Amino acid sequence: MSGAAGRLPGLALLAALLLLLLGPGGLAAAEGASLRYAVPEELPPGSAVGELLADLGLAVPAPAGRNLRVVTGGGRSYFEADLSSGRLVVRERLDREALCGPLAPCVLSLQLVAERPLELFGVAVEVTDINDNAPAFPGRQMRLEISEAVAPGARFPLESAQDPDVGANAVQTYQLSANAHFALDVQTRADGTKYAELVLHKALDRERQRDLRLLLTALDGGSPPRAAGLQVLVDVLDANDNAPAFNRSTYSARLREDAPTGSLVARPSAVDLDEGPNGEILYSFSSHTPARVRQLFALDAATGELRLQGSLDFEEAKFYEIYIQAKDKGPNPAVAHCKVLVEVEDVNDNAPEITVTSVYSPVPEDAAPGTVIALLSVRDQDSGDNGLVHCSIPSGIPFALSSSLKNYYTLQTKEPLDRELFAEYNITIAARDGGSPPLVAEKQVLVKVSDINDNPPKFPQPSYDLYVEENNLPGTVILNVSASDPDLNKNAHLSYSILDSNKVSGDLVGRYFSINRDNGTIYVLVPLDHEDIMEFRMVVQVHDGGIPPLATNLTVSVFVTDQNDNPPQVLYPRTNASALLSETISPTVGPGYMVTKIVAWDADAGYNAWLSYLLLQATNAGLFTVGLHSGEVSTARALQEDDSRKQTLVILIKDNGEPALSSTVTLTVTVAEVSRETFSDLAMMPLVPQTKKHLTFYLILAIILISVAFFLTVLGVGLYKFYKWRQSKDIFKASRSSLYRTPGPFNHIDTVRSGFTPPNFYQQVLTTDSRQSELLYKMPFTPSPMGSCQNTLARCDPAIYNQIISTNSRHLVPSEMLHRVDWFPEFFLYQLRNT
């Protein structure tokens, strides 16, 4: 906001200067001027008009810093300010007739602008007329034919002289040379111009004088006056005792300025009581009818109908006086005269004119409301309501028009701008006059909006979850985070970095990962190990190049997926380098007797931890079988006499990885009789009293009820987790060879051999029964370089396999474990054998 405030004085100064560059000034503009001077035309350049600075109360000479300027409209400057003397002087020759024509007074408006502080003064200069033009008649002579029968008092209009000057310097009077028959009567028209008529004072006598030569002189009011002469030839005609007569002396008509050609203006009618040719009437324009009137109007010589034959323009002339004469066809034609007054009605035929003096563009998007964008002026040549102009701009844009002077407007901002929404505005300024129907003029103003750093960078999503295989190559690209910034240029130049502090992964992120500052590409610096650290969380920050810069953070979670890089390890029977694994069975055992159970584990996860048990070698291959997924070593048939008493079994344990890794365990089975003392010891055990049996029954019943309730609870939780897993299983359908591979779907396996295990979860209390699935508990995750192997080995029971995919070393509480009941018979059998 401080930058915009700093630019406002300069903008206001520019607005004031440009406001002066308006359309041509006239009387309407001059009425509001601060000063008014009058100067005669034809003054030489450099002539003083007035003490400008003194009259305005400004210092003389003007200080250089104020930068005084005089601006006039119309594209030409006739005046200038002499800053040393403080006077307003003439710059170019002033010709009032060329500037204003017949209009009076002739006023030129100009403006004086001063800076520091900004001041605006209106000055009106009236150019007064001097008598620099002499009157002139249309021709050198005119001819009149007057019958000797005309009675005294008859009037005959004469040619009018034209003088471009106005006021007192225009034609003021006419003089007639001395004669015995005619006198001169000078009349004044409605517009103030003069014309002369011959008045017959003494009857003519053709026999005594056939013609008369008179001199008509037109004089203006100058000092000294200028004059022009016209020869008037009067031919005395023989008597025609009845002259035509109009039914009225003046006819009035009103015409719209847009009246079509051929419109009837008036129908003057004259009557002659004579008969024959002396009674036939011909209509014509009087000799002093102006040529412009003859161009605009046509008169029917036979009927006297006056029709329009040109185009009227109210702005050119508001009314016309048309003089018509009626002459009979007698040998000495008599003439009658009448006048037709035609008033022109204004129509809305001039559209408003819009002048845009300047546009301040581009505008910073933090410009304060009220900032001036453009200056403009409007005018309409029509009059009355047709000349009233109102300007408007479309709604819904953050701009407004305001007006402090008539027909002058400023385009300003009314709301804050946002370049990211609209980088430019093509504003249509409409000027509508008050006519019916109104005429509209439009002007396009293009305003561009410049950028400021007001938008932080944005990521497509707030976080990313990545799945990266372990044992990757250093320098592997795992993700390209791309942010966008709607600003421009340096405000949109983005730089990426990884923040140092991280509560989850600490300083490990900086050792394992790097990011390209320019394009946001994240690299892995060292190989990852799923068994060491399964998850990393990092915060990526992107900031732009604005001042001050704006930044946005992004959370990236990297989950390290497993590869088959760990072979299976045997948990039970426990291996001992100093002794062979040995089991003893009775020779009387039947088929399906379980000799022992091999329990193994794999530090990998998912498919890579899915173990299979195979009988690799045996003394008698058909005597024993090994459960493919359970690891149970059982008899395939009953023992025979010829079977060896010592059987050596080599069992292969392999995982489901690609390629598969394996381990072997060697088991020695000895066939021997079971001592009867073992059973006699069992028979000699004292019986439980009857009272204790009831107590035992209730305890067992309570345990069963609690177990059922617990089982139902666990079942419900398991179904809920399974439902959630089914919703997200699409995540794990990618190929196992992909960089972000997750294991595919798997059926009928426990979590030891299950596929992908979500981060932050534990797999609890797992048996080697491959047809069961276990529950997942969401637990806090803390990376540990020791992995989960040590925790698992610390809690392994010979008949129970607990695999905990975890990275902390704490022991689980009972509420975090799910106990299964399918291992209970095996456990009981194991205890029985060891007793």
Side-chain angles (χ1 to χ4, degrees):
M1 296 300 294
S2 62
R7 291 190 294 270
L8 288 179
L11 178 60
L13 176 58
L14 178 62
L17 291 175
L18 297 176
L19 182 62
L20 301 177
L21 303 178
L22 305 172
L27 182 58
E31 292 175 355
S34 302
L35 296 177
R36 187 180 182 95
Y37 297 105
V39 59
E41 64 177 334
E42 302 298 339
L43 282 180
S47 299
V49 177
E51 300 294 333
L52 181 61
L53 299 185
D55 294 339
L56 291 175
L58 301 177
V60 181
R66 299 220 61 184
N67 193 18
L68 294 176
R69 300 185 184 183
V70 174
V71 181
T72 61
R76 296 185 63 181
S77 178
Y78 293 95
F79 304 94
E80 63 182 359
D82 187 348
L83 302 182
S84 60
S85 63
R87 295 177 179 177
L88 181 66
V89 299
V90 177
R91 182 180 180 182
E92 291 186 19
R93 171 180 172 270
L94 298 175
D95 187 354
R96 193 208 65 79
E97 287 74 22
L99 290 173
C100 301
L103 296 179
C106 179
V107 179
L108 299 180
S109 64
L110 55 95
Q111 292 81 27
L112 176 68
V113 62
E115 300 177 6
R116 298 186 182 94
L118 179 66
E119 294 182 286
L120 178 66
F121 306 94
V123 180
V125 179
E126 179 181 352
V127 181
T128 59
D129 185 55
I130 64 173
N131 192 23
D132 57 341
N133 293 281
F137 286 97
R140 294 185 177 181
Q141 66 179 12
M142 71 169 294
R143 183 178 294 273
L144 292 177
E145 294 181 351
I146 302 175
S147 175
E148 63 179 347
V150 174
R155 308 175 74 90
F156 305 94
L158 300 176
E159 295 278 0
S160 295
Q162 304 296 324
D163 193 336
D165 295 326
V166 296
N169 295 324
V171 175
Q172 296 297 317
T173 187
Y174 291 87
Q175 295 178 356
L176 187 66
S177 59
N179 65 89
H181 296 276
F182 294 96
L184 189 66
D185 186 11
V186 178
Q187 301 287 334
T188 303
R189 297 188 180 95
D191 60 355
T193 59
K194 308 290 186 177
Y195 68 95
E197 293 182 343
L198 278 179
V199 180
L200 184 62
H201 280 187
K202 181 179 178 182
L204 298 174
D205 188 356
R206 188 175 183 277
E207 286 70 23
R208 295 180 60 182
Q209 188 174 8
R210 298 178 60 88
D211 55 55
L212 290 86
R213 295 181 177 270
L214 305 176
L215 178 62
L216 178 65
T217 303
L219 300 173
D220 62 20
S223 179
R226 294 174 178 266
L230 175 67
Q231 288 283 343
V232 180
L233 302 179
V234 180
D235 293 333
V236 181
L237 304 179
D238 203 16
N240 185 7
D241 53 355
N242 289 295
F246 286 97
N247 53 9
R248 66 177 91 167
S249 61
T250 303
Y251 295 85
S252 298
R254 295 171 63 91
L255 281 180
R256 290 168 54 93
E257 62 174 323
D258 61 347
T261 302
S263 298
L264 180 64
V265 180
R267 188 179 286 110
S269 177
V271 178
D272 194 325
L273 298 179
D274 293 330
E275 294 182 354
N278 292 333
E280 296 178 2
I281 300 176
L282 294 176
Y283 297 91
S284 62
F285 290 110
S286 296
S287 57
H288 59 271
T289 301
R292 178 59 179 163
V293 173
R294 299 174 186 266
Q295 295 174 359
L296 289 176
F297 300 94
L299 182 64
D300 191 302
T303 63
E305 291 182 350
L306 183 65
R307 294 185 178 273
L308 182 66
Q309 69 175 3
S311 298
L312 299 177
D313 189 351
F314 177 83
E315 289 70 36
E316 178 184 342
K318 298 178 177 58
F319 63 92
Y320 295 91
E321 290 186 3
I322 306 173
Y323 296 91
I324 299 175
Q325 65 182 10
K327 182 187 298 184
D328 60 28
K329 296 182 180 180
N332 298 315
V335 179
H337 298 271
C338 73
K339 179 170 59 176
V340 179
L341 300 179
V342 180
E343 182 180 355
V344 180
E345 295 181 354
D346 183 38
V347 297
N348 193 25
D349 59 342
N350 291 283
E353 298 177 4
I354 304 175
T355 302
V356 178
T357 58
S358 179
V359 177
Y360 173 56
S361 178
V363 183
E365 58 179 325
D366 61 345
T371 301
V372 177
I373 305 301
L375 305 170
L376 56 107
S377 63
V378 294
R379 70 169 185 169
D380 194 315
Q381 295 181 358
D382 295 321
S383 62
D385 292 340
N386 297 332
L388 296 178
V389 181
H390 174 71
C391 287
S392 63
I393 59 176
S395 60
I397 59 175
F399 298 94
L401 282 177
S402 63
S403 176
S404 57
L405 296 175
K406 181 180 179 182
N407 293 338
Y408 302 147
Y409 291 87
T410 58
L411 180 64
Q412 303 175 351
T413 59
K414 67 175 182 179
E415 298 174 2
L417 305 178
D418 190 347
R419 189 207 62 80
E420 288 70 38
L421 292 178
F422 297 98
E424 63 181 26
Y425 293 87
N426 195 6
I427 304 173
T428 301
I429 301 174
R432 183 186 302 268
D433 61 25
S436 180
L439 298 180
V440 180
E442 294 183 349
K443 193 79 171 182
Q444 302 289 333
V445 176
L446 180 62
V447 179
K448 295 184 178 180
V449 183
S450 59
D451 184 56
I452 64 170
N453 191 29
D454 59 344
N455 291 280
K458 292 183 180 179
F459 287 104
Q461 58 192 66
S463 62
Y464 286 90
D465 291 338
L466 305 180
Y467 298 90
V468 183
E469 281 190 338
E470 61 177 334
N471 302 321
N472 57 280
L473 294 176
T476 301
V477 176
I478 62 172
L479 180 64
N480 182 272
V481 290
S482 178
S484 61
D485 194 321
D487 293 323
L488 290 179
N489 302 327
K490 68 175 183 180
N491 296 332
H493 180 72
L494 304 182
S495 297
Y496 300 86
S497 61
I498 297 178
L499 298 184
D500 295 335
S501 60
N502 192 288
K503 296 181 180 179
V504 177
S505 302
D507 58 355
L508 294 177
V509 172
R511 290 169 23 207
Y512 281 86
F513 301 95
S514 176
I515 190 169
N516 188 307
R517 291 183 56 86
D518 296 326
N519 56 28
T521 301
I522 300 177
Y523 303 88
V524 181
L525 299 177
V526 297
L528 303 178
D529 189 354
H530 173 80
E531 289 73 35
D532 183 13
I533 302 177
M534 292 195 304
E535 178 185 354
F536 296 89
R537 288 200 184 100
M538 67 185 80
V539 177
V540 176
Q541 184 180 83
V542 59
H543 61 84
D544 56 30
I547 300 176
L550 302 179
T552 302
N553 293 341
L554 170 72
T555 301
V556 179
S557 298
V558 180
F559 302 103
V560 183
T561 60
D562 185 52
Q563 282 187 341
N564 192 28
D565 57 350
N566 293 281
Q569 298 184 18
V570 178
L571 297 179
Y572 178 81
R574 293 185 181 275
T575 59
N576 190 345
S578 63
L580 296 175
L581 301 178
S582 178
E583 292 288 345
T584 303
I585 63 173
S586 173
T588 61
V589 297
Y593 176 78
M594 187 179 74
V595 178
T596 186
K597 184 172 184 177
I598 307 300
V599 179
W601 76 287
D602 195 318
D604 295 321
Y607 284 111
N608 300 327
W610 187 1
L611 302 182
S612 300
Y613 302 85
L614 300 173
L615 184 59
L616 184 62
Q617 294 178 7
T619 304
N620 190 337
L623 182 56
F624 296 96
T625 62
V626 178
L628 178 62
H629 298 298
S630 64
E632 295 176 353
V633 181
S634 305
T635 57
R637 59 178 174 80
L639 297 175
Q640 299 177 0
E641 290 295 333
D642 56 349
D643 289 331
S644 174
R645 296 300 176 179
K646 186 176 182 180
Q647 300 285 332
T648 300
L649 307 179
V650 178
I651 300 172
L652 176 68
I653 307 169
K654 67 175 183 178
D655 57 28
N656 199 40
E658 294 180 3
L661 301 178
S662 63
S663 299
T664 60
V665 61
T666 303
L667 176 67
T668 301
V669 179
T670 303
V671 179
E673 292 290 343
V674 180
S675 174
R676 291 183 176 271
E677 285 76 11
T678 303
F679 296 101
S680 63
D681 292 342
L682 293 174
M684 295 175 61
M685 294 177 64
L687 297 175
V688 180
Q690 187 69 24
T691 56
K692 291 185 179 181
K693 290 183 179 179
H694 292 290
L695 179 60
T696 303
F697 171 79
Y698 291 123
L699 290 176
I700 294 174
L701 180 61
I703 291 173
I704 292 174
L705 294 176
I706 293 173
S707 300
V708 170
F710 180 75
F711 175 79
L712 294 177
T713 303
V714 170
L715 180 61
V717 174
L719 292 176
Y720 175 78
K721 293 295 183 178
F722 179 77
Y723 172 75
K724 288 294 186 179
W725 172 80
R726 290 285 293 178
Q727 284 186 330
S728 60
K729 70 177 182 176
D730 291 340
I731 301 176
F732 315 112
K733 289 183 179 180
S735 172
R736 294 181 60 183
S737 61
S738 172
L739 178 62
Y740 305 101
R741 175 181 63 82
T742 57
F746 32 84
N747 300 319
H748 305 295
I749 60 173
D750 60 9
T751 52
V752 175
R753 306 171 188 85
S754 62
F756 170 73
T757 302
N760 300 352
F761 280 87
Y762 290 111
Q763 296 178 333
Q764 299 293 343
V765 190
L766 311 178
T767 73
T768 56
D769 187 353
S770 63
R771 304 304 177 187
Q772 301 285 340
S773 296
E774 302 303 328
L775 293 179
L776 302 177
Y777 291 85
K778 185 170 178 69
M779 301 299 295
F781 175 83
T782 303
S784 171
M786 298 301 295
S788 61
C789 177
Q790 296 178 357
N791 298 331
T792 302
L793 293 176
R795 294 191 298 275
C796 282
D797 187 84
I800 306 174
Y801 172 49
N802 298 333
Q803 180 182 4
I804 304 175
I805 300 178
S806 173
T807 56
N808 63 353
S809 60
R810 67 179 182 83
H811 291 282
L812 301 178
V813 297
S815 61
E816 295 174 340
M817 303 179 62
L818 173 62
H819 295 276
R820 293 177 48 176
V821 297
D822 55 354
W823 53 268
F824 184 79
E826 301 171 8
F827 179 75
F828 178 78
L829 180 59
Y830 171 78
Q831 295 294 337
L832 182 61
R833 290 176 182 174
N834 285 277
T835 57

